[in-house]
């Protein structure tokens, strides 16, 4: 089972260790047809790329495509910023972005003091009360409803949620749930719930080094262990059908 493309890779534009070309060269050597560059978005405190770098990223993508023949999408891994599901992508950003991934990152900039104390602080301190899990779940549900999103990355990692509610809405909104190359929080029961709602999964590396591009062994182990059907993996041997964000 071979993935068509890896849609979660980082470069030196955030805190990856290689260039866009480095990632594309490794992708080509591993037989991948496509990758996405998904450096951390504008609202990350430590490892974000800037809007002033967009033209340089586009130029680097074009050069790497020509040099390798690998198709390269300009993506972003954005952050949940508020209880009402806001992320850092603006409408004008969709003019250059091909895909948008969203995940919880503890070093993102909370939109307000309330968001910090009600969302970030409890999760960062691992204070996972029933009320907190409900807040976490509502945050992601509102993001799915209101924000331009293709992929939810490492769902449940550092931010426990009600899987069933998210699975139901993600399916309705054509959003893929990631099986991350490094971090997966799903239990067997979670996978059963996700499959009950016919969740579409995407196998990604979350590579921060070029040599890790295309390394989806962690996610594939879940596929094999829990019997996730091939039809539910959107990039297994075929190109994902990403919904339009505009």
């Amino acid at each position: 089972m071979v993935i068509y493309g890896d849609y979660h890779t980082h470069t030196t534009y955030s805190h990856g260790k290689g260039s866009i070309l480095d990632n594309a060269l490794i992708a080509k050597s591993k037989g991948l047809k496509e990758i996405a560059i998904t450096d951390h978005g504008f609202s990350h405190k430590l490892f974000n790329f800037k809007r002033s770098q967009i033209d340089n990223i586009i130029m680097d993508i074009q050069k790497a495509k020509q040099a390798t023949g690998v198709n390269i999408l300009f993506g972003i891994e954005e952050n949940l910023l508020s209880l009402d599901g806001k992320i850092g992508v603006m409408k004008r950003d969709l003019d250059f972005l091909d895909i948008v991934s969203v995940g919880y990152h503890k070093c993102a900039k909370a939109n307000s003091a309330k968001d910090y104390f009600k969302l970030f602080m409890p999760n960062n301190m691992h204070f996972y009360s029933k009320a907190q899990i409900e807040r976490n779940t509502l945050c992601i549900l509102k993001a799915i409803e209101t924000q331009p999103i293709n992929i939810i990355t490492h769902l449940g990692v550092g931010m426990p949620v009600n899987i069933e509610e998210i699975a139901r809405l993600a399916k309705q909104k054509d959003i893929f749930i990631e099986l991350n190359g490094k971090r997966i929080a799903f239990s067997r029961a979670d996978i059963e719930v996700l499959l009950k709602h016919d969740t579409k999964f995407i196998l990604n590396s979350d590579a921060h080094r070029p040599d890790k591009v295309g390394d989806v062994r962690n996610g594939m182990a879940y596929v094999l262990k829990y019997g996730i059907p091939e039809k539910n993996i959107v990039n297994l041997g075929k190109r994902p059908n990403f919904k339009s964000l505009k």
Side-chain angles (χ1 to χ4, degrees):
M1 293 189 286
V2 179
I3 60 169
Y4 182 94
D6 184 353
Y7 300 94
H8 188 169
T9 77
H10 295 276
T11 74
T12 51
Y13 279 107
S14 58
H15 65 318
K17 303 301 182 183
S19 67
I20 293 172
L21 177 59
D22 292 332
N23 283 10
L25 286 168
I26 293 295
K28 181 178 181 179
S29 73
K30 294 183 178 182
L32 274 65
K33 301 292 191 295
E34 188 169 66
I35 60 171
I37 303 301
T38 54
D39 283 310
H40 284 288
F42 313 114
S43 57
H44 200 284
K45 292 179 182 178
L46 302 175
F47 308 119
N48 60 303
F49 77 91
K50 301 175 177 60
R51 288 184 173 88
S52 61
Q53 296 174 302
I54 290 169
D55 288 343
N56 289 337
I57 295 172
I58 291 172
M59 183 171 60
D60 286 352
I61 285 174
Q62 292 302 322
K63 288 180 178 178
K65 287 169 68 173
Q66 292 171 6
T68 64
V70 174
N71 193 42
I72 304 173
L73 304 181
F74 191 161
I76 191 169
E77 186 182 17
E78 251 303 335
N79 312 286
L80 293 162
L81 305 178
S82 66
L83 293 165
D84 60 356
K86 292 294 191 300
I87 63 175
V89 170
M90 299 181 181
K91 187 175 181 179
R92 70 174 188 266
D93 297 325
L94 302 181
D95 290 337
F96 64 85
L97 287 172
D98 297 307
I99 63 170
V100 173
S101 298
V102 173
Y104 176 75
H105 300 93
K106 64 182 181 180
C107 290
K109 301 173 185 176
N111 269 8
S112 68
K114 178 182 178 182
D115 294 316
Y116 175 76
F117 286 109
K118 292 288 188 179
L119 182 65
F120 286 89
M121 190 172 75
N123 284 304
N124 293 351
M125 295 178 67
H126 309 292
F127 182 66
Y128 302 138
S129 65
K130 181 179 179 180
Q132 186 59 45
I133 292 173
E134 290 176 355
R135 282 193 290 270
N136 294 344
T137 302
L138 188 58
C139 169
I140 295 182
L141 292 175
K142 288 184 175 180
I144 291 173
E145 285 280 12
T146 64
Q147 303 300 306
I149 300 174
N150 296 109
I151 301 169
I152 299 177
T153 62
H154 43 72
L155 178 64
V157 175
M159 185 185 178
V161 294
N162 182 314
I163 292 292
E164 182 143 27
E165 291 187 36
I166 292 169
R168 184 182 297 112
L169 190 59
K171 173 64 176 178
Q172 292 175 12
K173 298 295 185 179
D174 295 322
I175 292 174
F176 305 146
I177 302 297
E178 182 185 67
L179 293 175
N180 187 274
K182 299 188 297 183
R183 302 176 293 170
I184 301 176
F186 301 139
S187 65
R188 179 180 293 276
D190 292 334
I191 295 293
E192 289 174 354
V193 168
L194 289 161
L195 290 178
K196 182 179 75 172
H197 291 283
D198 196 31
T199 294
K200 301 306 180 188
F201 297 95
I202 189 164
L203 289 162
N204 286 327
S205 68
D206 195 1
H208 287 67
R209 303 198 319 263
D211 64 289
K212 291 295 184 180
V213 171
D215 185 348
V216 296
R217 289 174 292 179
N218 188 41
M220 190 62 74
Y222 271 72
V223 172
L224 298 175
K225 181 177 181 179
Y226 297 122
I228 299 174
E230 289 188 29
K231 69 179 182 65
N232 288 77
I233 313 295
V234 298
N235 60 332
L236 203 56
K238 60 184 182 294
R239 189 181 191 275
N241 183 22
F242 293 109
K243 72 174 183 179
S244 173
L245 297 173
K246 296 182 181 179

